[in-house]
């Protein structure tokens, strides 16, 4: 089988190995700041994918996990392993969205059960422009470019380790959100309202979630 397969909005690296993990995987959604990781997380959330018990109401980030990350900016801590073990016990498959998880791919990989990384790749100039509009502050596009290099390095490292992963072309997602939702759903064997999710993704700004049982949505 070919090493990778291109779809319209996704690149699947080692599709056979990836499919062997689907159904029992831990999915990590990562990328860069303003790289549209929230759009990918929204699509997963609306397909019923478990992304955490306390989610950011706009960005769908796992508040429990991201707070642990931010304390030391490292994954080599007992609290993270404890939380991962708890989630593995409670869920056959689960995931989380933390954009800067690209910095910790090599540390996370051995800690996660059947890991699948979903790398959200966006034109760095578009990400910089989005950050400038949202934050209303000067943004250095070269810094965004450096973050994008880190993302590419993470994917390259996964390739060297012979690990499957998914890369999403977020610029293509903007142009055809319905195809993205359909391709992501098929790849991960998910069910959801493709047209409804795509309609929300086609609109500017953050996407309000349909509440899921057992999930708390946090503004901070």
């Amino acid at each position: 089988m070919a090493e990778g397969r291109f779809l319209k909005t996704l690149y699947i690296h080692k599709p056979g190995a990836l499919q062997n993990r689907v159904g029992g995987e831990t999915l990590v959604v990562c990328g860069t700041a303003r790289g549209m990781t929230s759009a990918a997380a929204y699509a997963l959330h609306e397909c019923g994918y478990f992304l955490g018990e306390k989610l950011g109401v706009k960005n769908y980030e796992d508040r429990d996990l991201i707070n642990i990350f931010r304390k030391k900016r490292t994954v080599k801590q007992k609290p993270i392993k404890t939380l991962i073990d708890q989630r593995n016990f409670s869920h056959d498959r689960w995931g989380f969205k933390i954009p800067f998880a690209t910095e910790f791919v090599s540390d996370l990989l051995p800690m996660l059960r059947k890991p699948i990384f979903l790398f959200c790749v966006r034109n760095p100039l578009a990400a910089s422009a989005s950050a400038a509009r949202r934050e209303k502050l000067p943004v250095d596009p070269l810094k965004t470019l450096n973050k994008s290099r880190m993302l590419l390095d993470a994917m390259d490292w996964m390739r060297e380790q012979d690990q499957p992963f998914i890369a999403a072309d977020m610029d293509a997602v903007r142009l055809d959100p319905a195809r993205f939702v359909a391709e992501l759903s098929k790849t991960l064997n998910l069910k959801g309202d493709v047209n409804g999710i795509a309609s929300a993704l086609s609109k500017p700004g953050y996407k309000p979630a349909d509440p899921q049982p057992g999930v708390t949505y946090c503004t901070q």
Side-chain angles (χ1 to χ4, degrees):
M1 181 176 289
E3 187 178 39
R5 179 162 58 96
F6 282 97
L7 306 178
K8 186 170 183 181
T9 67
L10 302 178
Y11 168 72
I12 315 297
H13 187 70
K14 300 189 72 65
L18 188 138
Q19 282 303 310
N20 288 336
R21 297 185 182 187
V22 169
E25 80 283 349
T26 308
L27 182 67
V28 183
V29 182
C30 55
T32 61
R34 308 305 301 166
M36 297 180 62
T37 52
S38 294
Y42 170 81
L44 291 164
H45 177 277
E46 294 302 288
C47 287
Y49 202 94
F50 181 83
L51 295 174
E53 296 173 354
K54 299 177 184 177
L55 296 182
V57 70
K58 293 182 177 180
N59 58 23
Y60 307 100
E61 291 177 359
D62 183 333
R63 308 316 298 175
D64 289 329
L65 192 53
I66 203 168
N67 286 338
I68 297 173
F69 267 93
R70 282 177 172 162
K71 286 181 180 178
K72 298 288 186 180
R73 294 288 284 193
T74 178
V75 298
K76 296 177 180 178
Q77 297 179 69
K78 186 176 179 180
I80 290 179
K81 186 63 169 62
T82 298
L83 183 57
I84 289 172
D85 289 343
Q86 291 172 349
R87 295 282 168 80
N88 286 343
F89 179 79
S90 302
H91 301 276
D92 291 333
R93 62 194 310 207
W94 64 280
F96 58 90
K97 174 243 174 175
I98 297 180
F100 59 80
T102 52
E103 301 175 31
F104 308 114
V105 169
S106 61
D107 291 322
L108 278 169
L109 192 68
M111 299 176 68
L112 300 176
R113 180 184 62 196
K114 295 185 178 180
I116 296 176
F117 282 76
L118 171 57
F119 296 105
C120 297
V121 184
R122 186 182 187 188
N123 178 338
L125 291 180
S128 293
S130 176
R133 287 192 299 269
R134 176 166 175 76
E135 298 172 14
K136 298 181 179 180
L137 294 170
V139 175
D140 183 353
L142 293 182
K143 289 185 178 179
T144 308
L145 182 59
N146 285 331
K147 291 292 185 180
S148 297
R149 288 184 181 131
M150 186 179 297
L151 171 61
L152 296 177
D153 287 343
M155 289 191 287
D156 193 42
W157 185 86
M158 290 285 284
R159 180 185 58 80
E160 290 176 352
Q161 300 300 311
D162 207 30
Q163 291 290 324
F165 63 83
I166 305 169
D169 178 351
M170 303 311 293
D171 297 295
V173 172
R174 289 177 62 88
L175 294 174
D176 195 346
R179 180 63 65 89
F180 167 66
V181 179
E183 291 179 349
L184 188 64
S185 299
K186 184 176 181 180
T187 299
L188 295 175
N189 194 23
L190 304 174
K191 294 182 179 179
D193 178 3
V194 171
N195 291 330
I197 297 170
S199 177
L201 288 176
S202 67
K203 298 173 184 176
Y206 287 108
K207 322 302 174 188
D210 291 329
Q212 290 184 2
V215 177
T216 301
Y217 299 90
C218 311
T219 57
Q220 299 294 329

mmCIF file of all heavy atoms in Angstrom, residues 45-84:
data_model
loop_
_atom_site.group_PDB
_atom_site.id
_atom_site.type_symbol
_atom_site.label_atom_id
_atom_site.label_comp_id
_atom_site.label_asym_id
_atom_site.label_seq_id
_atom_site.Cartn_x
_atom_site.Cartn_y
_atom_site.Cartn_z
ATOM 1 N N HIS A 45 -16.540 17.354 17.547
ATOM 2 C CA HIS A 45 -17.502 17.477 18.646
ATOM 3 C C HIS A 45 -18.922 17.244 18.153
ATOM 4 O O HIS A 45 -19.705 16.518 18.772
ATOM 5 C CB HIS A 45 -17.375 18.864 19.274
ATOM 6 C CG HIS A 45 -18.369 19.132 20.366
ATOM 7 N ND1 HIS A 45 -19.659 19.546 20.103
ATOM 8 C CD2 HIS A 45 -18.261 19.054 21.721
ATOM 9 C CE1 HIS A 45 -20.305 19.708 21.246
ATOM 10 N NE2 HIS A 45 -19.484 19.411 22.239
ATOM 11 N N GLU A 46 -19.267 17.846 17.014
ATOM 12 C CA GLU A 46 -20.631 17.717 16.493
ATOM 13 C C GLU A 46 -20.901 16.320 15.944
ATOM 14 O O GLU A 46 -22.060 15.944 15.770
ATOM 15 C CB GLU A 46 -20.867 18.769 15.417
ATOM 16 C CG GLU A 46 -20.848 20.195 15.948
ATOM 17 C CD GLU A 46 -21.881 20.426 17.053
ATOM 18 O OE1 GLU A 46 -23.083 20.464 16.731
ATOM 19 O OE2 GLU A 46 -21.482 20.558 18.221
ATOM 20 N N CYS A 47 -19.849 15.562 15.685
ATOM 21 C CA CYS A 47 -20.013 14.151 15.316
ATOM 22 C C CYS A 47 -20.082 13.251 16.552
ATOM 23 O O CYS A 47 -20.122 12.018 16.418
ATOM 24 C CB CYS A 47 -18.861 13.700 14.417
ATOM 25 S SG CYS A 47 -18.935 14.346 12.727
ATOM 26 N N GLY A 48 -20.080 13.865 17.740
ATOM 27 C CA GLY A 48 -20.196 13.109 18.979
ATOM 28 C C GLY A 48 -18.893 12.588 19.529
ATOM 29 O O GLY A 48 -18.902 11.750 20.440
ATOM 30 N N TYR A 49 -17.765 13.079 19.024
ATOM 31 C CA TYR A 49 -16.467 12.595 19.487
ATOM 32 C C TYR A 49 -16.149 13.223 20.843
ATOM 33 O O TYR A 49 -16.277 14.435 21.021
ATOM 34 C CB TYR A 49 -15.372 12.957 18.478
ATOM 35 C CG TYR A 49 -14.150 12.084 18.580
ATOM 36 C CD1 TYR A 49 -14.009 10.962 17.774
ATOM 37 C CD2 TYR A 49 -13.146 12.364 19.488
ATOM 38 C CE1 TYR A 49 -12.888 10.151 17.863
ATOM 39 C CE2 TYR A 49 -12.027 11.561 19.589
ATOM 40 C CZ TYR A 49 -11.906 10.453 18.781
ATOM 41 O OH TYR A 49 -10.803 9.656 18.889
ATOM 42 N N PHE A 50 -15.694 12.401 21.797
ATOM 43 C CA PHE A 50 -15.388 12.895 23.138
ATOM 44 C C PHE A 50 -14.040 13.602 23.133
ATOM 45 O O PHE A 50 -13.004 13.001 22.864
ATOM 46 C CB PHE A 50 -15.362 11.743 24.147
ATOM 47 C CG PHE A 50 -15.062 12.200 25.554
ATOM 48 C CD1 PHE A 50 -16.060 12.705 26.362
ATOM 49 C CD2 PHE A 50 -13.769 12.136 26.058
ATOM 50 C CE1 PHE A 50 -15.782 13.143 27.654
ATOM 51 C CE2 PHE A 50 -13.479 12.570 27.335
ATOM 52 C CZ PHE A 50 -14.491 13.068 28.145
ATOM 53 N N LEU A 51 -14.071 14.904 23.489
ATOM 54 C CA LEU A 51 -12.857 15.719 23.517
ATOM 55 C C LEU A 51 -12.520 16.227 24.911
ATOM 56 O O LEU A 51 -11.583 17.004 25.069
ATOM 57 C CB LEU A 51 -13.007 16.915 22.568
ATOM 58 C CG LEU A 51 -13.126 16.590 21.076
ATOM 59 C CD1 LEU A 51 -13.410 17.863 20.282
ATOM 60 C CD2 LEU A 51 -11.868 15.909 20.565
ATOM 61 N N GLY A 52 -13.289 15.803 25.916
ATOM 62 C CA GLY A 52 -13.007 16.238 27.279
ATOM 63 C C GLY A 52 -14.284 16.488 28.055
ATOM 64 O O GLY A 52 -15.365 16.660 27.479
ATOM 65 N N GLU A 53 -14.147 16.518 29.380
ATOM 66 C CA GLU A 53 -15.301 16.763 30.254
ATOM 67 C C GLU A 53 -15.562 18.248 30.460
ATOM 68 O O GLU A 53 -16.686 18.654 30.754
ATOM 69 C CB GLU A 53 -15.074 16.076 31.602
ATOM 70 C CG GLU A 53 -15.001 14.560 31.499
ATOM 71 C CD GLU A 53 -14.600 13.903 32.808
ATOM 72 O OE1 GLU A 53 -14.262 14.633 33.757
ATOM 73 O OE2 GLU A 53 -14.637 12.656 32.868
ATOM 74 N N LYS A 54 -14.524 19.066 30.329
ATOM 75 C CA LYS A 54 -14.650 20.518 30.454
ATOM 76 C C LYS A 54 -14.033 21.145 29.213
ATOM 77 O O LYS A 54 -12.816 21.169 29.072
ATOM 78 C CB LYS A 54 -13.940 21.024 31.714
ATOM 79 C CG LYS A 54 -14.492 20.461 33.012
ATOM 80 C CD LYS A 54 -13.670 20.960 34.202
ATOM 81 C CE LYS A 54 -14.154 20.334 35.503
ATOM 82 N NZ LYS A 54 -13.302 20.753 36.658
ATOM 83 N N LEU A 55 -14.897 21.648 28.332
ATOM 84 C CA LEU A 55 -14.418 22.177 27.063
ATOM 85 C C LEU A 55 -14.571 23.686 27.001
ATOM 86 O O LEU A 55 -15.566 24.243 27.499
ATOM 87 C CB LEU A 55 -15.199 21.560 25.897
ATOM 88 C CG LEU A 55 -15.061 20.056 25.669
ATOM 89 C CD1 LEU A 55 -15.861 19.647 24.437
ATOM 90 C CD2 LEU A 55 -13.605 19.659 25.515
ATOM 91 N N GLY A 56 -13.600 24.344 26.379
ATOM 92 C CA GLY A 56 -13.751 25.751 26.074
ATOM 93 C C GLY A 56 -14.966 25.944 25.184
ATOM 94 O O GLY A 56 -15.125 25.238 24.187
ATOM 95 N N VAL A 57 -15.818 26.874 25.545
ATOM 96 C CA VAL A 57 -17.090 27.029 24.851
ATOM 97 C C VAL A 57 -16.898 27.452 23.397
ATOM 98 O O VAL A 57 -17.766 27.216 22.555
ATOM 99 C CB VAL A 57 -17.997 28.026 25.608
ATOM 100 C CG1 VAL A 57 -17.459 29.441 25.502
ATOM 101 C CG2 VAL A 57 -19.432 27.944 25.129
ATOM 102 N N LYS A 58 -15.759 28.061 23.075
ATOM 103 C CA LYS A 58 -15.496 28.515 21.714
ATOM 104 C C LYS A 58 -14.415 27.716 21.004
ATOM 105 O O LYS A 58 -14.449 27.572 19.788
ATOM 106 C CB LYS A 58 -15.103 29.992 21.720
ATOM 107 C CG LYS A 58 -16.219 30.930 22.127
ATOM 108 C CD LYS A 58 -15.759 32.377 22.060
ATOM 109 C CE LYS A 58 -16.885 33.332 22.400
ATOM 110 N NZ LYS A 58 -16.435 34.747 22.324
ATOM 111 N N ASN A 59 -13.449 27.212 21.778
ATOM 112 C CA ASN A 59 -12.311 26.560 21.109
ATOM 113 C C ASN A 59 -12.258 25.047 21.312
ATOM 114 O O ASN A 59 -11.399 24.383 20.754
ATOM 115 C CB ASN A 59 -10.991 27.179 21.565
ATOM 116 C CG ASN A 59 -10.774 27.089 23.068
ATOM 117 O OD1 ASN A 59 -11.344 26.245 23.755
ATOM 118 N ND2 ASN A 59 -9.944 27.972 23.596
ATOM 119 N N TYR A 60 -13.140 24.488 22.146
ATOM 120 C CA TYR A 60 -13.239 23.042 22.359
ATOM 121 C C TYR A 60 -11.953 22.426 22.882
ATOM 122 O O TYR A 60 -11.654 21.257 22.630
ATOM 123 C CB TYR A 60 -13.703 22.337 21.063
ATOM 124 C CG TYR A 60 -14.963 22.959 20.548
ATOM 125 C CD1 TYR A 60 -14.924 23.882 19.509
ATOM 126 C CD2 TYR A 60 -16.190 22.698 21.141
ATOM 127 C CE1 TYR A 60 -16.073 24.518 19.076
ATOM 128 C CE2 TYR A 60 -17.343 23.321 20.708
ATOM 129 C CZ TYR A 60 -17.279 24.232 19.681
ATOM 130 O OH TYR A 60 -18.423 24.863 19.266
ATOM 131 N N GLU A 61 -11.193 23.219 23.630
ATOM 132 C CA GLU A 61 -9.974 22.706 24.253
ATOM 133 C C GLU A 61 -10.313 22.080 25.602
ATOM 134 O O GLU A 61 -11.119 22.610 26.361
ATOM 135 C CB GLU A 61 -8.950 23.831 24.418
ATOM 136 C CG GLU A 61 -8.399 24.316 23.088
ATOM 137 C CD GLU A 61 -7.435 25.487 23.225
ATOM 138 O OE1 GLU A 61 -7.212 25.943 24.371
ATOM 139 O OE2 GLU A 61 -6.922 25.947 22.190
ATOM 140 N N ASP A 62 -9.678 20.967 25.889
ATOM 141 C CA ASP A 62 -9.873 20.232 27.136
ATOM 142 C C ASP A 62 -9.245 21.035 28.269
ATOM 143 O O ASP A 62 -8.021 21.093 28.401
ATOM 144 C CB ASP A 62 -9.215 18.852 27.001
ATOM 145 C CG ASP A 62 -9.421 17.963 28.214
ATOM 146 O OD1 ASP A 62 -9.594 18.485 29.321
ATOM 147 O OD2 ASP A 62 -9.383 16.734 28.034
ATOM 148 N N ARG A 63 -10.083 21.667 29.096
ATOM 149 C CA ARG A 63 -9.564 22.569 30.121
ATOM 150 C C ARG A 63 -8.725 21.826 31.154
ATOM 151 O O ARG A 63 -7.705 22.341 31.628
ATOM 152 C CB ARG A 63 -10.704 23.313 30.830
ATOM 153 C CG ARG A 63 -11.671 24.021 29.906
ATOM 154 C CD ARG A 63 -10.994 24.784 28.792
ATOM 155 N NE ARG A 63 -10.130 25.847 29.271
ATOM 156 C CZ ARG A 63 -9.370 26.593 28.512
ATOM 157 N NH1 ARG A 63 -9.325 26.369 27.214
ATOM 158 N NH2 ARG A 63 -8.634 27.555 29.016
ATOM 159 N N ASP A 64 -9.139 20.613 31.524
ATOM 160 C CA ASP A 64 -8.370 19.844 32.512
ATOM 161 C C ASP A 64 -6.966 19.566 32.000
ATOM 162 O O ASP A 64 -5.972 19.757 32.719
ATOM 163 C CB ASP A 64 -9.070 18.519 32.824
ATOM 164 C CG ASP A 64 -10.343 18.706 33.641
ATOM 165 O OD1 ASP A 64 -10.397 19.664 34.435
ATOM 166 O OD2 ASP A 64 -11.275 17.912 33.462
ATOM 167 N N LEU A 65 -6.881 19.135 30.763
ATOM 168 C CA LEU A 65 -5.585 18.743 30.210
ATOM 169 C C LEU A 65 -4.728 19.955 29.875
ATOM 170 O O LEU A 65 -3.530 19.969 30.164
ATOM 171 C CB LEU A 65 -5.793 17.874 28.976
ATOM 172 C CG LEU A 65 -4.576 17.140 28.411
ATOM 173 C CD1 LEU A 65 -3.884 16.330 29.490
ATOM 174 C CD2 LEU A 65 -4.990 16.240 27.254
ATOM 175 N N ILE A 66 -5.329 20.975 29.304
ATOM 176 C CA ILE A 66 -4.524 22.124 28.892
ATOM 177 C C ILE A 66 -3.976 22.877 30.101
ATOM 178 O O ILE A 66 -2.888 23.450 30.048
ATOM 179 C CB ILE A 66 -5.329 23.067 27.971
ATOM 180 C CG1 ILE A 66 -4.364 23.900 27.110
ATOM 181 C CG2 ILE A 66 -6.259 23.981 28.766
ATOM 182 C CD1 ILE A 66 -5.031 24.643 25.978
ATOM 183 N N ASN A 67 -4.709 22.859 31.218
ATOM 184 C CA ASN A 67 -4.197 23.516 32.427
ATOM 185 C C ASN A 67 -2.965 22.798 32.964
ATOM 186 O O ASN A 67 -2.042 23.424 33.494
ATOM 187 C CB ASN A 67 -5.286 23.581 33.496
ATOM 188 C CG ASN A 67 -6.344 24.622 33.172
ATOM 189 O OD1 ASN A 67 -6.093 25.558 32.415
ATOM 190 N ND2 ASN A 67 -7.535 24.452 33.715
ATOM 191 N N ILE A 68 -2.931 21.475 32.835
ATOM 192 C CA ILE A 68 -1.745 20.726 33.246
ATOM 193 C C ILE A 68 -0.572 21.057 32.327
ATOM 194 O O ILE A 68 0.554 21.288 32.773
ATOM 195 C CB ILE A 68 -2.026 19.210 33.233
ATOM 196 C CG1 ILE A 68 -3.117 18.854 34.243
ATOM 197 C CG2 ILE A 68 -0.747 18.430 33.539
ATOM 198 C CD1 ILE A 68 -3.571 17.408 34.176
ATOM 199 N N PHE A 69 -0.824 21.102 31.032
ATOM 200 C CA PHE A 69 0.221 21.444 30.071
ATOM 201 C C PHE A 69 0.834 22.797 30.381
ATOM 202 O O PHE A 69 2.046 22.971 30.337
ATOM 203 C CB PHE A 69 -0.368 21.490 28.657
ATOM 204 C CG PHE A 69 -0.256 20.218 27.887
ATOM 205 C CD1 PHE A 69 -1.281 19.301 27.900
ATOM 206 C CD2 PHE A 69 0.863 19.938 27.134
ATOM 207 C CE1 PHE A 69 -1.212 18.129 27.167
ATOM 208 C CE2 PHE A 69 0.961 18.771 26.397
ATOM 209 C CZ PHE A 69 -0.085 17.865 26.416
ATOM 210 N N ARG A 70 0.013 23.769 30.654
ATOM 211 C CA ARG A 70 0.480 25.148 30.781
ATOM 212 C C ARG A 70 1.334 25.369 32.016
ATOM 213 O O ARG A 70 2.114 26.320 32.086
ATOM 214 C CB ARG A 70 -0.720 26.094 30.800
ATOM 215 C CG ARG A 70 -1.289 26.338 29.409
ATOM 216 C CD ARG A 70 -2.508 27.205 29.448
ATOM 217 N NE ARG A 70 -2.923 27.583 28.091
ATOM 218 C CZ ARG A 70 -4.116 28.033 27.786
ATOM 219 N NH1 ARG A 70 -5.029 28.168 28.744
ATOM 220 N NH2 ARG A 70 -4.419 28.365 26.552
ATOM 221 N N LYS A 71 1.195 24.510 33.008
ATOM 222 C CA LYS A 71 1.973 24.705 34.231
ATOM 223 C C LYS A 71 3.467 24.586 33.966
ATOM 224 O O LYS A 71 4.266 25.354 34.493
ATOM 225 C CB LYS A 71 1.535 23.695 35.298
ATOM 226 C CG LYS A 71 0.185 24.015 35.919
ATOM 227 C CD LYS A 71 -0.178 22.988 36.981
ATOM 228 C CE LYS A 71 -1.536 23.317 37.606
ATOM 229 N NZ LYS A 71 -1.929 22.304 38.613
ATOM 230 N N LYS A 72 3.847 23.606 33.153
ATOM 231 C CA LYS A 72 5.277 23.357 32.922
ATOM 232 C C LYS A 72 5.639 23.343 31.440
ATOM 233 O O LYS A 72 6.811 23.277 31.104
ATOM 234 C CB LYS A 72 5.665 21.989 33.521
ATOM 235 C CG LYS A 72 5.479 21.891 35.027
ATOM 236 C CD LYS A 72 6.526 22.693 35.775
ATOM 237 C CE LYS A 72 6.414 22.449 37.275
ATOM 238 N NZ LYS A 72 7.410 23.218 38.032
ATOM 239 N N ARG A 73 4.624 23.420 30.560
ATOM 240 C CA ARG A 73 4.839 23.292 29.123
ATOM 241 C C ARG A 73 5.609 22.004 28.827
ATOM 242 O O ARG A 73 6.541 21.964 28.027
ATOM 243 C CB ARG A 73 5.589 24.502 28.562
ATOM 244 C CG ARG A 73 4.811 25.794 28.641
ATOM 245 C CD ARG A 73 3.682 25.851 27.665
ATOM 246 N NE ARG A 73 4.126 26.109 26.302
ATOM 247 C CZ ARG A 73 3.310 26.448 25.309
ATOM 248 N NH1 ARG A 73 2.017 26.568 25.550
ATOM 249 N NH2 ARG A 73 3.766 26.662 24.094
ATOM 250 N N THR A 74 5.219 20.958 29.510
ATOM 251 C CA THR A 74 5.850 19.661 29.305
ATOM 252 C C THR A 74 4.829 18.577 29.582
ATOM 253 O O THR A 74 3.850 18.800 30.289
ATOM 254 C CB THR A 74 7.065 19.469 30.222
ATOM 255 O OG1 THR A 74 7.613 18.162 30.005
ATOM 256 C CG2 THR A 74 6.685 19.575 31.678
ATOM 257 N N VAL A 75 5.038 17.389 29.024
ATOM 258 C CA VAL A 75 4.127 16.282 29.295
ATOM 259 C C VAL A 75 4.720 15.281 30.273
ATOM 260 O O VAL A 75 4.084 14.303 30.631
ATOM 261 C CB VAL A 75 3.743 15.541 27.984
ATOM 262 C CG1 VAL A 75 3.034 16.468 27.043
ATOM 263 C CG2 VAL A 75 4.958 14.923 27.342
ATOM 264 N N LYS A 76 5.952 15.506 30.715
ATOM 265 C CA LYS A 76 6.602 14.542 31.596
ATOM 266 C C LYS A 76 6.176 14.789 33.040
ATOM 267 O O LYS A 76 6.966 15.153 33.904
ATOM 268 C CB LYS A 76 8.111 14.643 31.441
ATOM 269 C CG LYS A 76 8.587 14.252 30.038
ATOM 270 C CD LYS A 76 10.075 14.430 29.873
ATOM 271 C CE LYS A 76 10.529 14.042 28.477
ATOM 272 N NZ LYS A 76 11.973 14.254 28.274
ATOM 273 N N GLN A 77 4.886 14.577 33.287
ATOM 274 C CA GLN A 77 4.336 14.803 34.614
ATOM 275 C C GLN A 77 3.337 13.698 34.950
ATOM 276 O O GLN A 77 2.611 13.227 34.075
ATOM 277 C CB GLN A 77 3.601 16.147 34.677
ATOM 278 C CG GLN A 77 4.477 17.358 34.439
ATOM 279 C CD GLN A 77 3.629 18.613 34.514
ATOM 280 O OE1 GLN A 77 3.150 18.991 35.571
ATOM 281 N NE2 GLN A 77 3.429 19.241 33.385
ATOM 282 N N LYS A 78 3.285 13.347 36.206
ATOM 283 C CA LYS A 78 2.343 12.324 36.645
ATOM 284 C C LYS A 78 0.893 12.736 36.425
ATOM 285 O O LYS A 78 0.069 11.888 36.046
ATOM 286 C CB LYS A 78 2.597 11.992 38.120
ATOM 287 C CG LYS A 78 1.749 10.823 38.616
ATOM 288 C CD LYS A 78 2.096 10.468 40.051
ATOM 289 C CE LYS A 78 1.224 9.309 40.537
ATOM 290 N NZ LYS A 78 1.535 8.943 41.937
ATOM 291 N N PRO A 79 0.497 14.010 36.658
ATOM 292 C CA PRO A 79 -0.916 14.370 36.454
ATOM 293 C C PRO A 79 -1.423 14.094 35.044
ATOM 294 O O PRO A 79 -2.572 13.683 34.865
ATOM 295 C CB PRO A 79 -0.949 15.865 36.775
ATOM 296 C CG PRO A 79 0.185 16.086 37.708
ATOM 297 C CD PRO A 79 1.256 15.142 37.237
ATOM 298 N N ILE A 80 -0.580 14.309 34.040
ATOM 299 C CA ILE A 80 -1.018 14.045 32.671
ATOM 300 C C ILE A 80 -1.222 12.552 32.459
ATOM 301 O O ILE A 80 -2.227 12.127 31.891
ATOM 302 C CB ILE A 80 0.006 14.607 31.665
ATOM 303 C CG1 ILE A 80 -0.022 16.134 31.687
ATOM 304 C CG2 ILE A 80 -0.275 14.089 30.265
ATOM 305 C CD1 ILE A 80 0.966 16.778 30.743
ATOM 306 N N LYS A 81 -0.287 11.741 32.927
ATOM 307 C CA LYS A 81 -0.424 10.283 32.779
ATOM 308 C C LYS A 81 -1.651 9.786 33.534
ATOM 309 O O LYS A 81 -2.375 8.908 33.046
ATOM 310 C CB LYS A 81 0.836 9.600 33.314
ATOM 311 C CG LYS A 81 0.852 8.091 33.079
ATOM 312 C CD LYS A 81 0.842 7.755 31.595
ATOM 313 C CE LYS A 81 1.136 6.284 31.337
ATOM 314 N NZ LYS A 81 0.123 5.387 31.920
ATOM 315 N N THR A 82 -1.928 10.355 34.702
ATOM 316 C CA THR A 82 -3.101 9.957 35.479
ATOM 317 C C THR A 82 -4.385 10.267 34.711
ATOM 318 O O THR A 82 -5.302 9.437 34.643
ATOM 319 C CB THR A 82 -3.121 10.675 36.836
ATOM 320 O OG1 THR A 82 -1.956 10.300 37.585
ATOM 321 C CG2 THR A 82 -4.363 10.317 37.631
ATOM 322 N N LEU A 83 -4.446 11.465 34.125
ATOM 323 C CA LEU A 83 -5.633 11.842 33.363
ATOM 324 C C LEU A 83 -5.799 10.959 32.135
ATOM 325 O O LEU A 83 -6.917 10.518 31.819
ATOM 326 C CB LEU A 83 -5.543 13.313 32.953
ATOM 327 C CG LEU A 83 -6.756 13.882 32.205
ATOM 328 C CD1 LEU A 83 -8.022 13.717 33.031
ATOM 329 C CD2 LEU A 83 -6.538 15.346 31.867
ATOM 330 N N ILE A 84 -4.706 10.654 31.451
ATOM 331 C CA ILE A 84 -4.772 9.772 30.294
ATOM 332 C C ILE A 84 -5.291 8.394 30.696
ATOM 333 O O ILE A 84 -6.149 7.809 30.020
ATOM 334 C CB ILE A 84 -3.394 9.665 29.621
ATOM 335 C CG1 ILE A 84 -3.049 10.985 28.920
ATOM 336 C CG2 ILE A 84 -3.363 8.509 28.610
ATOM 337 C CD1 ILE A 84 -1.628 11.041 28.397
#
